[in-house]
């Protein structure tokens, strides 16, 4: 169980020594890492953020390949981290095991569901950590805790031995405090040992998306644009796009998720197509969660925290009526964004709509923030593109970030790009 001196990050401290392999270079030798309690390790029961899950499941008979690859590359695991129950929240709280303490902003949420993994890195308890990202569970806590967080392309890293939330969207992501470590870990998990920096041919700023933020666009975008110009000598084309309009025009199946409220709302932060995209993503998550876990929920009748309990009820009642439309949205979005970005383009968006919410934020404010956040997070989440959250330091004593998105399969390109920009930001 977590203690005050580890910021409440760990649910179990347990040293797992490296398992060097003659087939794998020891590229992570000397580094330590933490494991989200969603990954199987042989001989241990995976907790999935809920004590009833822990009680009713058996020990894993094998170790998740993602964990094995890190150990084989020379890294040492120091324990397992707290996560949101059933990976079903981006807040970072857990009624059973406690809420890991955000080391950068003590009175703010740490972000979830990979909360403990982010906190362990931000608090310098480990060099890096691994988590999962379905609808934002690496990108959000990375932003809230002021560290780097990488969500890879769909299927780029094996999810075998990972308790599923929604397999069509689940990814294995990772956290680090610096780009060099982020890249080293990525080389191992992606099985791409030699990554070279390739200059992006265009930096596409989703101008409308920054209107969702409580922080000025220039504060988030200018450091990045300046770093790209310094790093590549001004050769990269920088342009703006209204991403909401582009998606609405090029993803026709989104019409099945558009509501009259989406279309008629006058609120500045509303982007109807992203709200619809978020609805499609969340429906997919609930549908697949129902398939994966409804039998267990019905038979065990586990104790959930209030917010998670309500979510479980929604999941169990989820209809498959629009699931074919979800699949169409996914395919159309991937095609549309591939056309927009080309081979070497990068999309610039906010990771989340602002600094981390207060620990005691009222329900309405938190729901509004989360609604805008899921609109942004669904861009990479639904398309299966890779995304990195980049910390930009503090604004009014709170961590802020910006994100880069690259086309599916361009993970190495994105990691190398971020590493090359690090010295100029």
């Amino acid at each position: 169980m977590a203690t005050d001196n580890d910021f409440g990050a760990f649910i179990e401290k347990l040293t797992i020594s490296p398992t060097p392999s003659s087939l794998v270079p020891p590229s992570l030798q000397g580094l330590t890492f933490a494991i989200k309690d969603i990954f199987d390790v042989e001989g241990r029961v995976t907790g999935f953020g809920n004590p009833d899950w822990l009680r009713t499941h058996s020990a894993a008979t094998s170790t998740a390949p993602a964990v094995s690859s890190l150990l084989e590359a020379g890294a040492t695991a120091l324990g397992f981290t707290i996560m949101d129950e059933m990976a079903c929240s981006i807040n970072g709280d857990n009624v059973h095991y406690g809420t890991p303490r955000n080391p950068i902003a003590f009175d703010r949420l740490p972000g979830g569901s990979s909360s403990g993994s982010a906190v362990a890195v931000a608090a310098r308890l480990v060099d890096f950590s691994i988590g999962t990202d379905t609808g934002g569970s690496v990108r959000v806590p990375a932003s809230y805790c002021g560290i780097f967080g990488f969500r890879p392309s769909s299927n780029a890293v094996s999810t075998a031995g990972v308790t599923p939330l929604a397999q069509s969207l689940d990814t294995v992501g990772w956290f680090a405090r610096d780009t060099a470590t982020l890249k080293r870990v990525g080389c191992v998990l992606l099985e791409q040992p030699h990554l070279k920096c390739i200059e992006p041919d265009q930096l596409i700023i989703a101008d409308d998306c920054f209107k969702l933020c409580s922080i000025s666009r220039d504060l988030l975008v200018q450091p990045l644009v300046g770093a790209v110009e310094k790093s590549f000598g001004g050769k990269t084309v920088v342009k703006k796009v209204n991403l909401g309009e582009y998606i609405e025009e090029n993803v026709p199946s989104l019409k099945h998720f558009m509501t009259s409220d989406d279309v008629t709302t006058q609120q500045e932060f509303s982007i109807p197509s992203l709200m619809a995209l978020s609805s499609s993503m969340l429906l997919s998550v609930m549908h697949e969660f129902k398939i994966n876990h409804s039998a267990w929920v019905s038979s065990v009748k586990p104790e959930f925290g209030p917010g998670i309990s309500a979510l479980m009820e929604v999941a169990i009642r989820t209809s498959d009526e629009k699931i074919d439309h979800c699949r169409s949205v996914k395919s159309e979005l991937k095609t549309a964004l591939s056309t927009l970005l080309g081979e070497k383009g990068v999309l610039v968006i906010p990771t989340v709509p602002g600094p981390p919410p207060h620990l005691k934020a009222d329900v309405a404010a938190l729901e509004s923030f989360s609604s805008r956040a899921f609109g942004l997070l669904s861009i990479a989440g639904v398309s299966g593109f890779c995304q990195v959250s980049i910390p930009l330091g503090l604004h009014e004593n709170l961590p802020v970030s910006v994100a880069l998105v690259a086309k599916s399969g361009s993970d190495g390109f994105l990691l190398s790009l971020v590493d090359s920009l690090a010295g100029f930001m």
Side-chain angles (χ1 to χ4, degrees), residues 66-112:
V67 175
S68 294
S69 65
L70 298 172
L71 296 171
E72 290 171 359
T76 300
L78 297 186
F80 298 85
T81 56
I82 287 177
M83 58 177 282
D84 295 48
E85 287 186 84
M86 315 290 283
C88 282
S89 173
I90 59 170
N91 294 332
D93 51 359
N94 188 305
V95 70
H96 306 288
Y97 301 121
T99 300
R101 193 179 188 190
N102 189 327
I104 309 302
F106 290 167
D107 63 344
R108 301 294 171 131
L109 288 168

Side-chain angles (χ1 to χ4, degrees), residues 5 47 62 83 96 103 125 171 206 212 215 220-221 242 307 310 316 326 334-335 352 354 364 372 424:
N5 62 359
S62 61
M83 58 177 282
H96 306 288
L125 305 175
T171 63
L212 296 169
I215 302 167
L220 300 178
V221 172
N242 186 310
I316 299 302
C326 291
K334 184 174 182 178
T335 298
V352 289
R372 286 175 284 149
F424 299 99

Side-chain angles (χ1 to χ4, degrees), residues 330-408:
K330 185 179 181 72
S331 175
E332 292 165 6
L333 181 67
K334 184 174 182 178
T335 298
L337 292 182
S338 294
T339 300
L340 177 67
L341 296 181
E343 287 301 316
K344 297 187 293 182
V346 178
L347 182 66
V348 184
I349 60 173
T351 309
V352 289
H358 199 282
L359 281 168
K360 297 181 180 180
D362 66 72
V363 174
L366 198 54
E367 285 182 351
S368 173
F369 187 92
S370 296
S371 175
R372 286 175 284 149
F374 278 125
L376 295 166
L377 296 164
S378 64
I379 296 166
V382 175
S383 66
F385 282 24
C386 50
Q387 179 174 339
V388 61
S389 181
I390 302 172
L392 295 175
L394 302 180
H395 174 64
E396 297 181 351
N397 294 317
L398 294 173
V400 294
S401 67
V402 70
L404 298 180
V405 179
K407 69 180 295 184
S408 180

Side-chain angles (χ1 to χ4, degrees), residues 98-334:
T99 300
R101 193 179 188 190
N102 189 327
I104 309 302
F106 290 167
D107 63 344
R108 301 294 171 131
L109 288 168
S113 65
S114 307
S115 52
S117 291
V119 168
V121 171
R124 299 182 174 272
L125 305 175
V126 291
D127 296 307
F128 69 92
S129 64
I130 54 173
T132 55
D133 189 311
T134 303
S137 291
V138 163
R139 293 164 288 168
V140 173
S143 179
Y144 288 8
C145 292
I147 56 177
F148 292 91
F150 195 90
R151 175 204 162 96
S153 304
S154 295
N155 303 314
V157 179
S158 173
T159 55
V162 178
T163 307
L165 173 57
Q167 288 95 323
S168 71
L169 299 168
D170 291 345
T171 63
V172 171
W174 58 100
F175 302 92
R177 290 184 299 275
D178 61 87
T179 58
T181 303
L182 192 78
K183 183 178 177 181
R184 286 172 67 185
V185 174
C187 287
V188 172
L189 290 174
L190 297 167
E191 299 181 11
Q192 297 181 22
H194 306 294
L195 294 179
K196 296 181 180 179
C197 182
I198 301 173
E199 179 183 346
D201 56 16
Q202 53 180 345
L203 194 68
I204 303 173
I205 300 166
D207 226 28
D208 55 328
C209 291
F210 286 91
K211 295 178 183 177
L212 296 169
C213 281
S214 59
I215 302 167
S216 75
R217 170 193 173 280
D218 287 349
L219 186 72
L220 300 178
V221 172
Q222 287 309 311
L224 182 63
V225 172
V228 169
E229 290 176 347
K230 291 174 185 175
S231 183
F232 298 107
K235 298 177 183 178
T236 302
V237 175
V238 178
K239 63 182 183 181
K240 301 175 184 177
V241 67
N242 186 310
L243 188 64
E245 289 184 0
Y246 179 83
I247 288 175
E248 187 168 350
E249 291 169 0
N250 291 278
V251 185
S253 293
L254 270 183
K255 66 185 178 184
H256 299 289
F257 300 93
M258 301 281 279
T259 69
S260 57
D261 288 343
D262 294 339
V263 175
T264 60
T265 182
Q266 298 300 309
Q267 293 174 302
E268 184 182 14
F269 58 74
S270 174
I271 300 177
S273 62
L274 292 191
M275 293 175 71
L277 192 63
S278 171
S279 295
S280 173
M281 179 181 75
L282 295 175
L283 177 60
S284 293
V285 171
M286 291 295 97
H287 173 71
E288 293 182 42
F289 182 94
K290 178 180 179 179
I291 293 171
N292 291 326
H293 303 305
S294 62
W296 177 81
V297 172
S298 299
S299 63
V300 173
K301 294 179 173 54
E303 180 182 347
F304 292 121
I308 303 300
S309 181
L311 198 60
M312 291 302 102
E313 292 179 11
V314 172
I316 299 302
R317 296 196 307 268
T318 298
S319 165
D320 61 0
E321 181 182 356
K322 290 187 176 181
I323 292 305
D324 285 343
H325 296 316
C326 291
R327 297 188 182 108
S328 296
V329 167
K330 185 179 181 72
S331 175
E332 292 165 6
L333 181 67
K334 184 174 182 178

Side-chain angles (χ1 to χ4, degrees), residues 20-21 24-30 72-75 184 188:
S21 167
V24 180
S27 56
L28 302 180
Q29 188 170 357
E72 290 171 359
R184 286 172 67 185
V188 172

Side-chain angles (χ1 to χ4, degrees), residues 35-80:
I35 305 168
K36 182 179 182 177
D37 194 18
I38 198 171
F39 291 87
D40 286 350
V41 169
E42 184 178 359
R44 180 182 181 274
V45 181
T46 304
F48 204 28
N50 181 276
D52 288 318
W53 182 277
L54 184 71
R55 174 179 59 81
T56 56
H57 285 78
S58 303
T61 57
S62 61
T63 298
V67 175
S68 294
S69 65
L70 298 172
L71 296 171
E72 290 171 359
T76 300
L78 297 186
F80 298 85

